[in-house]
Amino acid sequence: MAQFRICPDTGFYFDKSAESLMKANAVAGAVALLVAGIMALGVVLTRWQEVHLLPADMFYQVLTAHGINALIFWIIFFEMAILYFASSTLLRTRLAAPGWAWTGFALMLVGAVMNNVAVFQGNSSVMMTSYVPMQAEPHFYLGLILFAVGALIAVFVFFGTLVIAKEDNTYEGSIPLVTFGALTAAIIAVFTIACGAIILVPTFLWSIGYINHIDSAMYRIIWWGLGHSSQQINVAAHVAVWYLIVGVLFGARPMSEKVSRAAFLLYIFFLQLASAHHILVDPGVSSEWKVFNTSYAMYLAVLASMIHGLTIPGAMEVAQRGKGLTKGLFEWLRKAPWGNPVFSGFFISLFTFGFIGGITGVVMGTEQINLIIHNTIYVPAHFHATVVTGTTLTFMALTYLLIPLLFRRALFLPTMAKWQPYVFGGGMTLMVLFMLGAGTLGVSRRHWDMDFTGAMLSFEYPGTAYMMMAVGAIGGVLGVVGGAMYLIVTVGSLLFGKKLEESAGLLQSFGAPLAAGVYNVEQPERLLMAPKQPVEEHGDGGFEAPGTFVLAMALLVCFVVYYFINWDYLASVWHIS
Amino acid sequence: MTSFLPPSDRIWWNVPVGKQEIVWIGIALVWCLIMFFMMPYWHIYGKQNLSNEAYQTTPAKFQVEVDAMVEKYQVGEEAGIPIVRPPAGSDVYLLGRLWQWYPILELESGQSYRIHLTSMDWQHGFSLQPVNINLQVLPGYEMVFNMTPDKAGDYAIVCNEYCGIGHHTMLGKIIVTEK
């Protein structure tokens, strides 16, 4: 029989096996982040041309390890923890098939270790993308395949848990919005992992000699169904976490359940088409295919993100105004808890994801504009704004929320935790902005030496490009420092953080304070629908969240201006037809 | 607090949506459609569009074309790589291999050339600098497009797809002369 404990702070019911799985996945993710962070330092200190730390072979090896650990292992381990939380904990239900869940976790762990071993042995410096016909060792691919199979099992345990909750009738009405967002992420994950299997299994067989040829164009198209879509799991997951954080911190309710859920639905329908972003200047693919896919049909997934961009801060604004912070357009934001890393991490990630990650992503994903951006360092600049200041920072903020709830520990070095989102978010934003600039000047990504030492011909980048790479690297170093601060706080909290026996005083209204760590509940109380709230108008002219609307319009103006600047730049290059 | 609780209305999809969201969704949708139609618009009126022309090829087959062009139009040599000056409007063959672009091209400003581009081994990236035009170069596929240089000078082709330990030495050259 399932065993639950009630979180004395929030009233969440934690199923024992689900809780252990969340902890295990979060810790495994943090270890991957540690490896990724150390590797990141090698990458930025090499691309800072005046420092140029590592030799070429080691640089490519370190870059491969950085990419895979950061983009795949850290994020997906952490997402599995989120899936268990959003299903078992939020729906007050036992976990489906804990044995299978542990099997999945073990496979993911073995796969991650195997892949890292292959990379550190030195003959698999093929980058995360491992484009054929460049070949890695067989266990490089096998590690990724095992990891993917493990993740797929975890995703099905998540689906199973939703079914059990429905059958056991553990909740009233529909699943919460956060769970709906997690469900979106899980559905995208199935598509992603299927693409991974379709391309990596034959590539593995090719690496051990059973298949003699993998077509390079086919590899790219299917591999990006894995490579890009895995980042779409992140988008859906971290948007769900944003809703969770504004709910927990401010008691915010979604402005409209219908609008937010419809936006998630648009993600399910259209988000994966974006793998076409990588194929825009490839031979053998027609313009019609490129235009339709790169724009997610008609930018319908962008529309979804723009909707979340309004409704998440909007929900927060409405909640804050309800508490009397009604002065001017932005009192609700000015008086937000900026010293709480859960909030600052969330808000910095929301802002940088929208203003930098979102806008650059759409611009470079425009079919023709991609000509002036493809494979320049603009590309990693974009995805560091989405995956690092977006997803990673969101997951860091969530960690600060979960350490007291899940691990029952107080934060270690709270002052360091308070500054961490600013150091990490600020450093990475600096790096991203200057890398965007360097990319516009044509600096190549995945390139050891912008001086081209040893080349028979010569080319010199402008001095500005060197300056931008240097400033960007300083931002990168700051980011690594911020990442280290995160790991010090989290690992320190688990080892030395004060044990929370009683309520930490957070949202006590949810449940009766109880001693922690006692699994004394066999069947949680049924989860009831949220209480109805009388309709109140806080804003002007029927606008409930006028400050958010102003922010949204500011985003739109930046978007429009930057979009047409890039068309103008494109119009100035050599004619191609 | 309802974001992690079941919605307060059982029939949540019938709850009317606020004015603010409707206005924003409308604005955002219009912008999405503008961005979508910019791409076909540029295909009709813009001057920077990739053609859809591509062929499957083999290194041996492509090498024959390159060699024939080099033999016919070679005008010099630099760093052991032939400099080729094909006539305006003609078919120009350029290959990428570990770790060079072959041959060096001498083109005339304002003239259009039909460029054929492929890789002989791994994937490479054609990055024309400082113009900043970037193309993916795949083995087995021959990409064909018209290109019109617009200013005299020396241009470099940087390889911007990682292709192994010598990747950073893979530079090519295009010389553009006045008409």
Side-chain angles (χ1 to χ4, degrees):
Chain A
M1 192 65 200
Q3 299 275 302
F4 293 86
R5 73 169 172 86
I6 301 181
C7 170
D9 300 320
T10 57
F12 286 142
Y13 285 82
F14 283 100
D15 170 65
K16 199 171 181 182
S17 52
E19 187 183 25
S20 309
L21 277 157
M22 282 179 233
K23 289 180 181 173
N25 277 285
V27 170
V31 173
L33 183 68
L34 172 68
V35 178
I38 297 170
M39 298 300 117
L41 198 59
V43 174
V44 292
L45 290 181
T46 307
R47 295 237 50 181
W48 184 351
Q49 195 66 23
E50 287 76 14
V51 179
H52 210 51
L53 182 71
L54 300 176
D57 56 343
M58 210 170 169
F59 170 73
Y60 293 124
Q61 185 183 13
V62 158
L63 186 52
T64 305
H66 169 66
I68 297 177
N69 279 296
L71 280 169
I72 300 198
F73 300 149
W74 143 246
I75 282 180
I76 294 185
F77 270 126
F78 204 91
E79 275 159 357
M80 296 306 134
I82 292 175
L83 289 189
Y84 293 134
F85 178 82
S87 55
S88 166
T89 309
L90 289 186
L91 296 180
R92 298 189 179 176
T93 184
R94 70 189 165 87
L95 192 72
W100 275 106
W102 282 111
T103 311
F105 176 73
L107 280 173
M108 288 170 75
L109 199 60
V110 170
V113 170
M114 186 185 287
N115 177 276
N116 267 294
V117 167
V119 172
F120 286 111
Q121 281 173 336
N123 282 325
S124 300
S125 302
V126 294
M127 303 291 134
M128 183 180 109
T129 46
S130 55
Y131 288 143
V132 299
M134 185 187 281
Q135 201 173 58
E137 298 282 332
H139 52 304
F140 175 92
Y141 307 108
L142 188 60
L144 290 177
I145 293 167
L146 291 179
F147 184 84
V149 171
L152 193 62
I153 291 173
V155 169
F156 277 96
V157 171
F158 168 79
F159 291 139
T161 306
L162 294 192
V163 172
I164 285 178
K166 186 87 200 162
E167 266 187 2
D168 292 356
N169 214 2
T170 64
Y171 61 96
E172 186 185 24
S174 305
I175 56 173
L177 180 58
V178 175
T179 309
F180 193 84
L183 175 62
T184 303
I187 291 170
I188 295 175
V190 172
F191 171 85
T192 302
I193 295 168
C195 287
I198 290 169
I199 199 62
L200 287 175
V201 171
T203 307
F204 168 66
L205 294 175
W206 167 71
S207 75
I208 54 176
Y210 285 144
I211 290 179
N212 65 6
H213 179 70
I214 303 269
D215 184 83
S216 58
M218 179 197 73
Y219 179 93
R220 287 172 59 82
I221 290 174
I222 303 176
W223 190 90
W224 280 111
L226 164 73
H228 203 104
S229 304
S230 59
Q231 310 316 312
Q232 317 293 21
I233 310 174
N234 304 343
V235 175
H238 78 225
V239 169
V241 171
W242 289 345
Y243 278 112
L244 176 71
I245 288 178
V246 293
V248 171
L249 288 186
F250 303 103
R253 45 175 60 224
M255 295 173 81
S256 158
E257 293 278 355
K258 178 160 62 174
V259 168
S260 298
R261 284 169 201 245
F264 276 123
L265 199 62
L266 287 175
Y267 278 167
I268 297 176
F269 289 153
F270 299 109
L271 204 51
Q272 293 99 311
L273 302 184
S275 47
H277 290 175
H278 303 266
I279 318 293
L280 294 177
V281 295
D282 276 31
V285 184
S286 76
S287 291
E288 292 82 2
W289 185 92
K290 289 173 182 173
V291 168
F292 179 82
N293 285 287
T294 197
S295 67
Y296 317 88
M298 288 190 182
Y299 288 108
L300 294 174
V302 174
L303 179 66
S305 288
M306 289 172 83
I307 291 172
H308 291 306
L310 179 87
T311 58
I312 293 169
M316 171 188 159
E317 180 175 353
V318 172
Q320 289 277 77
R321 283 178 186 273
K323 289 175 193 147
L325 300 172
T326 52
K327 234 190 289 157
L329 280 175
F330 294 114
E331 194 192 19
W332 60 277
L333 187 57
R334 238 183 14 255
K335 295 207 172 148
W338 291 98
N340 178 349
V342 180
F343 174 75
S344 59
F346 145 71
F347 202 84
I348 295 170
S349 77
L350 175 77
F351 188 85
T352 51
F353 181 83
F355 274 82
I356 308 176
I359 291 178
T360 57
V362 174
V363 166
M364 74 178 188
T366 305
E367 190 208 353
Q368 294 94 337
I369 293 178
N370 193 255
L371 273 170
I372 54 174
I373 291 174
H374 179 75
N375 270 2
T376 66
I377 203 154
Y378 189 103
V379 178
H382 153 74
F383 71 70
H384 280 77
T386 55
V387 178
V388 184
T389 63
T391 309
T392 298
L393 188 50
T394 301
F395 288 179
M396 287 172 169
L398 180 63
T399 311
Y400 297 132
L401 186 67
L402 289 185
I403 285 174
L405 304 192
L406 193 56
F407 291 95
R408 302 302 304 155
R409 297 271 189 169
L411 281 188
F412 176 67
L413 298 178
T415 315
M416 186 185 272
K418 181 177 158 185
W419 288 105
Q420 190 274 336
Y422 295 97
V423 176
F424 185 76
M428 293 314 293
T429 303
L430 185 71
M431 184 188 92
V432 164
L433 291 175
F434 281 85
M435 274 164 62
L436 289 171
T440 306
L441 295 172
V443 176
S444 166
R445 70 184 289 201
R446 297 175 166 178
H447 198 279
W448 174 65
D449 186 9
M450 63 192 285
D451 285 336
F452 308 100
T453 311
M456 289 188 289
L457 299 165
S458 67
F459 173 67
E460 249 177 68
Y461 282 111
T464 334
Y466 283 87
M467 184 277 288
M468 290 198 171
M469 292 299 286
V471 180
I474 292 168
V477 172
L478 266 178
V480 173
V481 171
M485 287 163 74
Y486 165 76
L487 288 171
I488 290 170
V489 171
T490 45
V491 176
S493 302
L494 300 197
L495 296 180
F496 315 114
K498 195 169 141 277
K499 279 196 181 158
L500 299 174
E501 296 301 337
E502 293 285 314
S503 165
L506 195 78
L507 291 179
Q508 266 172 329
S509 53
F510 274 94
L514 267 182
V518 184
Y519 295 86
N520 53 2
V521 181
E522 292 223 334
Q523 187 58 52
E525 281 174 48
R526 187 154 184 249
L527 181 65
L528 299 179
M529 294 196 295
K532 273 194 203 270
Q533 194 160 312
V535 183
E536 283 179 58
E537 296 289 346
H538 299 290
D540 304 321
F543 275 30
E544 309 161 278
T548 301
F549 197 78
V550 170
L551 287 179
M553 289 309 289
L555 172 81
L556 185 71
V557 170
C558 293
F559 201 164
V560 173
V561 169
Y562 188 69
Y563 181 73
F564 285 108
I565 286 176
N566 275 277
W567 278 110
D568 192 51
Y569 175 22
L570 175 71
S572 73
V573 308
W574 292 6
H575 294 183
I576 291 180
S577 61
Chain B
M1 72 185 70
T2 54
S3 60
F4 55 88
L5 294 178
S8 52
D9 296 273
R10 195 173 283 277
I11 313 293
W12 49 264
W13 55 90
N14 275 350
V15 176
V17 176
K19 189 167 146 196
Q20 173 167 1
E21 287 141 287
I22 291 175
V23 171
W24 175 245
I25 293 169
I27 295 172
L29 183 62
V30 168
W31 173 237
C32 288
L33 292 176
I34 291 174
M35 289 196 296
F36 178 76
F37 286 107
M38 268 309 284
M39 291 187 284
Y41 169 85
W42 202 262
H43 272 286
I44 300 165
Y45 298 104
K47 303 292 182 202
Q48 291 81 13
N49 290 292
L50 281 179
S51 71
N52 290 328
E53 197 175 348
Y55 304 95
Q56 288 201 310
T57 185
T58 62
K61 212 159 96 186
F62 198 80
Q63 187 76 53
V64 172
E65 302 283 1
V66 174
D67 289 345
M69 177 187 72
V70 170
E71 192 169 325
K72 223 164 159 186
Y73 301 120
Q74 181 167 5
V75 293
E77 200 184 272
E78 187 181 339
I81 306 168
I83 303 174
V84 174
R85 188 183 168 88
S90 67
D91 288 277
V92 177
Y93 295 85
L94 178 68
L95 63 85
R97 64 184 167 208
L98 304 173
W99 286 287
Q100 67 174 193
W101 296 99
Y102 181 95
I104 295 172
L105 304 174
E106 193 174 300
L107 309 177
E108 226 174 86
S109 172
Q111 297 291 345
S112 170
Y113 297 84
R114 225 169 101 82
I115 312 278
H116 300 244
L117 182 62
T118 195
S119 160
M120 307 302 270
D121 33 56
W122 290 347
Q123 300 196 17
H124 295 290
F126 171 99
S127 178
L128 183 71
Q129 295 299 338
V131 182
N132 205 12
I133 289 175
N134 304 279
L135 302 168
Q136 190 74 23
V137 186
L138 302 182
Y141 288 87
E142 176 181 342
M143 190 181 209
V144 187
F145 55 95
N146 286 308
M147 190 163 76
T148 317
D150 60 9
K151 214 170 132 212
D154 283 1
Y155 297 88
I157 309 168
V158 176
C159 177
N160 70 2
E161 184 58 75
Y162 170 62
C163 57
I165 194 72
H167 170 48
H168 66 279
T169 65
M170 185 166 165
L171 274 183
K173 191 170 180 180
I174 294 180
I175 303 160
V176 178
T177 58
E178 290 295 351
K179 204 171 174 182

